[in-house]
């Protein structure tokens, strides 16, 4: 892995993500890479270049940004093969596939420290004020209601069930966002997640207060 690999990955990711409208735009990628670099400084023996490479590419194969999951995989693999040998390309694709959230009832599996760091950084960007903004941007783009007090959150026991869920955006807080603090791998990530989760809970209390419902936070 060289600085040149990183430069090419940055150009590729920037061209792919610029202007994306569901909160997976280039700014998200930049924030994740910066956050991952900071977390990595506090972790022993983390490969800084690998952290940055995975951070830059982590959302390229996201099924939400392609017409199918397979298409996303093929798109990234083609690019990886243009830069790395077959074994390295497969390994990098596997690392990147480990990062995404697959449901409240599905355990995370990370095969190396660098993936754990980028997963923490990516999840921190789904929390706090920016996390709230991204959730409603995503919901709006998918024509989802902000909230429906008659539709309750579900705990998805499989990735398949999580992928096809179509609830309102407030439910996404219970189905994913409020669960992320517990699932952090690094101490740095856990501390930041804790503060951002407190902020999100106070947002939810205010939201319910304005709506006039008594949902649990
Ligand atoms: P991951 O990178 O773990 O796969 P996603 O791509 O699913 O995560 O989520 C990235 C962003 O999109 C987050 O900010 C998240 O809140 C938002 N998002 C994803 N699914 C939903 C949803 N069903 N409702 C609202 N926001 C969502
Ligand atoms: Ni991401």
């Amino acid at each position: 892995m060289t600085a040149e690999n990183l430069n090419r990955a940055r150009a590729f990711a920037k061209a792919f993500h610029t202007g994306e409208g569901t909160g997976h735009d280039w700014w998200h990628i930049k924030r994740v890479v910066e956050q991952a670099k900071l977390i990595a400084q506090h972790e022993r023996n983390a490969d800084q270049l690998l952290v940055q490479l995975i951070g830059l590419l982590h959302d390229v194969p996201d099924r939400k940004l392609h017409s199918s999951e397979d298409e996303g995989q093929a798109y990234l693999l083609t690019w990886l093969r243009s830069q790395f040998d077959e074994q390295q390309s497969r390994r990098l694709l596997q690392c990147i596939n480990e990062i995404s959230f697959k449901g409240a009832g599905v355990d995370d599996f990370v095969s190396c420290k660098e993936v754990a760091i980028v997963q923490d950084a990516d999840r921190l960007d789904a929390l706090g004020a920016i996390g709230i903004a991204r959730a409603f941007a995503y919901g709006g783009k998918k024509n989802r209601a902000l909230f429906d007090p008659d539709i309750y959150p579900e705990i998805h026991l499989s990735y398949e069930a999580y992928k096809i869920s179509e609830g309102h955006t407030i439910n996404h807080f219970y189905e994913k966002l409020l669960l992320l603090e517990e699932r952090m791998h690094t101490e740095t990530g856990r501390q930041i997640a804790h503060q951002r989760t407190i902020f999100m809970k106070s947002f939810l209390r205010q939201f319910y207060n304005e709506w006039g419902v008594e949902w649990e936070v």
Side-chain angles (χ1 to χ4, degrees):
M1 180 85 52
T2 64
E4 193 43 44
N5 289 131
L6 269 191
N7 287 338
R8 287 200 287 258
R10 192 174 297 108
F12 172 63
K14 189 170 185 187
F16 179 70
H17 286 285
T18 296
E20 203 282 333
T22 65
H24 298 80
D25 57 8
W26 171 241
W27 292 107
H28 163 66
I29 308 303
K30 265 182 86 98
R31 288 191 303 268
V32 169
V33 171
E34 288 310 311
Q35 186 71 263
K37 279 163 69 177
L38 282 179
I39 295 174
Q41 283 168 13
H42 293 98
E43 296 296 306
R44 237 182 263 176
N45 304 327
D47 178 338
Q48 293 277 355
L49 288 185
L50 183 57
V51 163
Q52 289 182 61
L53 186 84
I54 298 174
L56 283 167
L57 299 176
H58 82 275
D59 270 335
V60 169
D62 192 320
R63 70 194 148 79
K64 300 190 261 2
L65 313 184
H66 297 271
S67 52
S68 71
E69 189 142 13
D70 287 349
E71 192 197 284
Q73 296 288 304
Y75 184 73
L76 178 58
L77 190 56
T78 302
W79 186 82
L80 288 169
R81 281 175 172 154
S82 73
Q83 310 293 319
F84 302 101
D85 68 28
E86 184 64 18
Q87 198 186 355
Q88 279 177 310
S89 299
R90 291 272 169 196
R91 174 74 187 121
L92 287 166
L93 183 67
Q94 184 201 331
C95 286
I96 288 163
N97 286 335
E98 286 170 7
I99 290 177
S100 63
F101 183 82
K102 299 179 177 68
V106 182
D107 286 340
D108 293 315
F109 170 77
V110 292
S111 58
C112 65
K113 176 175 284 184
E114 289 76 11
V115 173
I117 290 169
V118 177
Q119 188 178 77
D120 278 10
D122 188 32
R123 291 176 174 187
L124 287 174
D125 208 56
L127 301 181
I130 289 176
I132 295 170
R134 291 180 71 217
F136 287 102
Y138 183 94
K141 190 89 178 181
K142 302 277 173 186
N143 292 323
R144 293 188 180 168
L146 303 179
F147 180 48
D148 182 336
D150 296 326
I151 301 178
Y152 299 107
E154 288 175 49
I155 296 302
H156 302 109
L157 297 177
S158 72
Y159 188 29
E160 290 311 309
Y162 175 68
K163 276 194 289 196
I164 58 166
S165 69
E166 289 199 332
H168 55 82
T169 299
I170 289 291
N171 272 350
H172 188 62
F173 285 69
Y174 297 89
E175 292 168 355
K176 174 179 174 187
L177 306 180
L178 297 176
L179 311 174
L180 296 177
E181 177 187 350
E182 284 268 301
R183 293 165 78 141
M184 288 283 146
H185 303 282
T186 65
E187 194 43 45
T188 316
R190 195 166 301 116
Q191 280 172 16
I192 303 170
H194 184 64
Q195 295 309 320
R196 292 186 184 183
T197 301
I198 290 173
F199 179 81
M200 284 198 301
K201 287 183 175 175
S202 107
F203 164 82
L204 287 173
R205 278 187 212 99
Q206 175 75 16
F207 189 98
Y208 300 145
N209 193 280
E210 291 175 18
W211 198 288
V213 288
E214 294 199 359
W215 268 38
E216 234 171 84
V217 178

